[in-house]
Amino acid sequence: MHTTKIQIHLIMNIFSKLFAKKQQEDTDHSTKIGGMEDFMTLIRVYYQAVMAAQLGISNINFLPDMAIFKRTLKIPTQNNKLGIAERSRCKKMLADIYKLDDNFFKEIDNSIKKNCKNINDIKNYLFMFQGFSQDLMMVMGNLMQWKFRMPSIFKKTLYAMTEKNIHDILTKTTWKDEGVRKTCMNIRQYQHVLGYTEYWMTEYTYNIILLAKKEPKPKA
C-alpha cells in the first residue's frame, strides 16, 4: 500500500478539485463533478476507512489514500477512532456525486467484515479485489465493445445491458471465446469469496463504464 510523492500530489489534487467543485455546484450547474479517476480514488478511500473502523487500525500511514483524504478535507477523528468520520464523509461524497445507495456500501462493509478478521488479512483481500475488478472490466470490455460508443443519454439502456452481461458472466456456461470462459470462472471464484451480488457488480461496473465514456479521447 505504498504511495509515492507523485501519487500523493495527484490524489490531493483530486480531493481538492472534488471539494472545490462541490462547493460551486449551487452557482454553476454546468460543472461536471467526478471522473473515473475520482471515482476509483474515493472507492479506495471508502475501503480503507471501513477497514480502519472495523479492525481498529490506529496507524494512519497504513491507509495512504484515506490519510490524504482526511488531511486534505481536514476531517476530525471521531471518538478517537480512525475510519468512522472518514467513512461517513466519503460515503456521502460517493452517494451525492455518483448516486450510489446504502445497499452498495453495505455490501462493501459486509465483504470486508467477512474476509478481514485482522490486519494481516487486508493485503490478501485487496489483492483479491484488484483481480476481481480487473477481470470483471476485461470481460465487460470484451462483451460491450460497441456499447461503449452509445451516447450517454441512453443511460437506462446502458444500465440494462450492463445488468444482462453481469448476469451472463455469473451464470452462462458456454462461451465462444475460451479466454472469456476462463476469466468468467475466475470472476465467479472471486465473487464467491468476496460476497458481492449481481446488483453490486452491476452498479460498480456501470459507473466505471459511464465515466470511461466521458474521459477525453487520446489525441492521435
Side-chain angles (χ1 to χ4, degrees):
M1 300 176 74
H2 176 68
T3 303
T4 66
K5 288 183 178 179
I6 294 175
Q7 287 173 318
I8 288 172
H9 179 69
L10 287 173
I11 295 169
M12 286 186 73
N13 280 345
I14 288 169
F15 290 142
S16 297
K17 179 181 67 177
L18 275 170
F19 195 50
K21 284 184 177 179
K22 195 62 185 167
Q23 289 179 323
Q24 295 167 8
E25 210 175 5
D26 292 335
T27 55
D28 183 6
H29 296 289
S30 65
T31 300
K32 291 183 179 179
I33 302 173
M36 186 165 63
E37 187 180 5
D38 302 337
F39 176 74
M40 294 309 298
T41 301
L42 287 171
I43 287 289
R44 288 198 304 273
V45 170
Y46 187 81
Y47 272 82
Q48 291 175 19
V50 172
M51 289 170 176
Q54 288 191 5
L55 298 174
I57 298 172
S58 57
N59 183 0
I60 197 168
N61 295 321
F62 193 67
L63 308 158
D65 298 300
M66 192 196 82
I68 298 164
F69 180 76
K70 179 180 180 65
R71 290 164 185 157
T72 304
L73 301 186
K74 297 180 173 61
I75 301 170
T77 301
Q78 186 176 328
N79 299 334
N80 294 318
K81 188 174 181 181
L82 283 176
I84 298 176
E86 296 79 10
R87 173 184 174 274
S88 179
R89 184 66 173 276
C90 186
K91 178 181 177 180
K92 187 177 187 308
M93 290 179 73
L94 281 165
D96 288 348
I97 299 169
Y98 304 103
K99 311 306 177 188
L100 297 169
D101 65 18
D102 275 347
N103 290 326
F104 181 86
F105 299 105
K106 284 178 183 176
E107 290 206 25
I108 296 176
D109 298 353
N110 291 335
S111 177
I112 293 173
K113 185 177 181 179
K114 173 189 171 186
N115 290 283
C116 298
K117 304 300 183 184
N118 55 61
I119 292 176
N120 295 327
D121 293 334
I122 289 178
K123 185 176 180 180
N124 186 50
Y125 180 88
L126 292 175
F127 181 76
M128 276 197 297
F129 181 76
Q130 183 180 23
F132 170 68
S133 184
Q134 288 177 345
D135 282 356
L136 184 59
M137 294 313 302
M138 184 176 72
V139 173
M140 288 298 287
N142 183 289
L143 297 178
M144 296 183 67
Q145 289 174 357
W146 67 268
K147 287 109 177 168
F148 275 90
R149 297 192 294 273
M150 182 183 294
S152 295
I153 57 171
F154 298 113
K155 287 182 179 180
K156 287 185 179 179
T157 303
L158 187 64
Y159 187 91
M161 289 177 174
T162 303
E163 193 173 36
K164 179 188 179 302
N165 281 299
I166 291 293
H167 182 73
D168 286 348
I169 287 170
L170 296 177
T171 60
K172 193 173 175 179
T173 56
T174 305
W175 297 90
K176 292 180 181 179
D177 189 317
E178 179 62 14
V180 170
R181 188 192 70 79
K182 287 182 177 179
T183 307
C184 287
M185 293 301 107
N186 289 340
I187 293 170
R188 292 178 196 182
Q189 289 178 349
Y190 284 129
Q191 187 223 9
H192 177 72
V193 176
L194 295 171
Y196 290 114
T197 63
E198 284 188 33
Y199 154 79
W200 190 93
M201 292 167 67
T202 300
E203 289 286 312
Y204 177 71
T205 308
Y206 169 74
N207 272 284
I208 293 176
I209 291 172
L210 196 62
L211 293 167
K213 285 164 59 59
K214 296 178 181 178
E215 293 291 302
K217 294 180 180 178
K219 295 180 180 179

